[in-house]
Amino acid sequence: MNAFIKQTGQRWLAGAVKNPKRFYTYSMIFLSVSFIGSLIQGIFFPSDTNFKIKPPILYSNKVISQNTIAGQNKEMEKIVGELKLLKAKRDRNALQKEDSLRIEFLYNQYQQLKNGR
């Protein structure tokens, strides 16, 4: 059986090499009929199955906006917590120059997050 398939394949390949125009013509006819058949099947007999591949959550606009808002809220909570610690340090009169720079940086970052929504 395997030898028969091998001989038949070699015969068809030899025929394609001898008559390239005929091979090209038959190939184009087969491709055209297949394309037209698939168009007819898609138009008149559409499949009832839904597209089952779902895009990753990463690319969903709704989820991205929710994730960014949640991330911004967490970041703002961290900033507020750190500012409260620095306020307690100020009440003890233990602030240093670096602390005042940190307060200014945190305040600017908080404003950017607040206005970025």
Side-chain angles (χ1 to χ4, degrees), residues 6-59:
K6 190 173 184 180
Q7 286 177 349
T8 306
Q10 287 176 351
R11 214 174 333 134
W12 284 352
L13 187 61
V17 169
K18 285 182 184 176
N19 301 315
K21 287 184 179 180
R22 182 182 291 170
F23 175 76
Y24 179 76
T25 303
Y26 289 153
S27 299
M28 286 300 115
I29 289 171
F30 174 74
L31 289 174
S32 300
V33 169
S34 297
F35 178 69
I36 291 170
S38 67
L39 279 178
I40 290 172
Q41 180 186 8
I43 292 172
F44 294 113
F45 308 105
S47 64
D48 294 333
T49 60
N50 293 333
F51 189 67
K52 295 190 179 200
I53 299 175
K54 295 180 181 178
I57 295 174
L58 179 67
Y59 301 118

